[in-house]
DNA sequence: GTCTTGACTAAGC
DNA sequence: GGCTTAGCCAAGA
C-alpha cells in the first residue's frame, strides 16, 4: 500500500534478531497491518534481496519456508537461516527455539540493536 | 472499472 | 501427518 506501511514492514523485519524467524502474519501485526500477511509477502518479493533486509527470517505460519522445497530460493533461504543457527526439522523450522516473540526476545536474547 | 494472481492463514476433512 | 476450502487484501494486466 503506502510507502509508510512498507517501511513499517521493513522495520519489523530488520528488528528480527539473527538466529530467529517470524511469520508473515506476525510481521504484519507488528507493523500494524493487522491480517494483511500477503502484503508482507508482496513487499518481500519486491525487495529483490539486496536491500539490507533479512528477508530470509520471514517464513509462513508454522515455520515453513514460503518457497517450494528444492527451489533455488528455498535452498538459499534455508542456507542463510542455518548459517545463523536456525534449526530445521524436516522442512519446518523449530519455532519453539527459533521463533521470534518480541516479549520473550528481550528476556532471552537481550534488547535488539534498534 | 473488473479479473487474476499471490513469498498468507486458519479451519475442516 | 497431508490436502482442500474459504477468507483475506493489494498490485498488475
Amino acid at each position: 500500500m503506502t510507502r509508510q506501511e512498507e517501511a513499517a514492514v521493513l522495520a519489523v523485519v530488520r528488528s528480527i534478531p539473527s538466529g530467529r524467524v517470524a511469520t508473515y502474519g506476525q510481521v504484519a501485526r507488528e507493523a500494524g497491518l493487522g491480517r494483511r500477511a500477503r502484503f508482507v509477502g508482496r513487499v518481500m518479493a519486491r525487495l529483490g534481496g539486496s536491500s539490507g533486509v533479512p528477508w530470509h527470517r520471514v517464513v509462513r505460519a508454522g515455520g515453513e519456508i514460503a518457497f517450494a522445497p528444492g527451489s533455488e530460493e528455498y535452498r538459499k533461504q534455508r542456507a542463510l537461516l542455518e548459517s545463523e543457527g536456525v534449526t530445521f526439522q524436516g522442512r519446518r523450522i523449530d519455532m519453539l527455539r527459533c521463533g521470534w516473540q518480541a516479549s520473550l526476545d528481550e528476556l532471552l536474547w537481550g534488547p535488539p540493536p534498534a
Side-chain angles (χ1 to χ4, degrees):
Chain A
M1 199 194 305
T2 65
R3 296 192 302 103
Q4 193 172 22
E5 289 177 323
E6 181 176 330
V9 168
L10 297 182
V12 171
V13 174
R14 275 195 299 264
S15 72
I16 302 172
S18 176
R20 266 175 312 151
V21 299
T23 67
Y24 289 94
Q26 192 175 359
V27 170
R29 285 195 306 271
E30 283 288 324
L33 299 178
R35 46 166 115 97
R36 275 178 265 181
R38 299 179 98 130
F39 179 72
V40 176
R42 273 213 61 76
V43 173
M44 294 296 113
R46 223 172 61 164
L47 279 184
S50 304
S51 304
V53 178
W55 57 270
H56 53 280
R57 295 179 193 150
V58 184
V59 298
R60 292 210 300 219
E64 196 171 8
I65 288 179
F67 298 112
S71 69
E72 197 63 35
E73 291 285 35
Y74 176 93
R75 284 182 300 183
K76 177 160 58 171
Q77 181 171 5
R78 176 164 179 157
L80 284 168
L81 290 173
E82 288 183 324
S83 72
E84 292 181 351
V86 174
T87 57
F88 281 74
Q89 298 188 357
R91 48 168 121 77
R92 281 213 204 145
I93 291 166
D94 184 354
M95 293 300 281
L96 293 179
R97 251 179 36 134
C98 307
W100 180 51
Q101 301 173 40
S103 49
L104 191 61
D105 179 35
E106 297 185 24
L107 293 176
L108 297 179
W109 293 73

